[in-house]
Amino acid sequence: QVQVTESGGGLVQAGGSLRLSCQASTLTFASHVVGWFREVPGKEREYVSAISRYRGSVYYAESVKGRFTISRDDIRNTVYLQMSSLKPEDTAVYYCALQRPGSSTWDYWGQGTQVTVSS
């Protein structure tokens, strides 16, 4: 079973920045597509960003495009989400997820990290 751990959340003022990290316990990290999602109480979990295998393509939700940057370091088994120009509406619990190689579903999830943006 792959364990996924997020870190880097916290409280920041609007306009500020945070960098989230997602680390996974797998020897085949480079072969996994990794994504970030966020959830606000009472709303459905929302897709934020994803990065394909082997330093491939990156994808963003329209709501974060131009403000968030996803990257990966396969040596450290880590994916980063650099968040800039944060807005109060970015406040949520942020989750990292991995797809198994060859899968199109999000198979492994972390416990989440809270991001709070104050106005």
Side-chain angles (χ1 to χ4, degrees):
Q1 181 73 6
V2 175
Q3 290 191 326
V4 181
T5 304
E6 304 96 337
S7 62
L11 173 64
V12 63
Q13 288 189 332
S17 299
L18 279 175
R19 188 178 78 162
L20 305 183
S21 298
C22 168
Q23 195 164 36
S25 63
T26 170
L27 297 178
T28 59
F29 184 78
S31 65
H32 292 267
V33 176
V34 181
W36 285 97
F37 297 77
R38 63 188 182 186
E39 188 172 335
V40 175
K43 294 187 177 180
E44 287 191 4
R45 191 168 293 186
E46 174 190 22
Y47 161 81
V48 174
S49 180
I51 186 166
S52 65
R53 302 175 300 169
Y54 304 112
R55 300 176 180 270
S57 302
V58 297
Y59 308 90
Y60 300 99
E62 283 299 321
S63 58
V64 306
K65 199 172 288 186
R67 299 187 299 121
F68 291 11
T69 303
I70 191 170
S71 62
R72 65 189 301 157
D73 182 341
D74 292 330
I75 294 176
R76 291 179 171 82
N77 278 22
T78 302
V79 163
Y80 302 100
L81 186 68
Q82 178 67 48
M83 307 186 296
S84 303
S85 301
L86 283 162
K87 305 175 182 179
E89 50 264 43
D90 294 318
T91 295
V93 177
Y94 283 71
Y95 296 91
C96 178
L98 274 64
Q99 295 182 359
R100 286 195 306 267
S103 169
S104 60
T105 58
W106 298 101
D107 303 302
Y108 308 111
W109 290 84
Q111 294 299 306
T113 185
Q114 175 71 47
V115 171
T116 303
V117 184
S118 62
S119 56

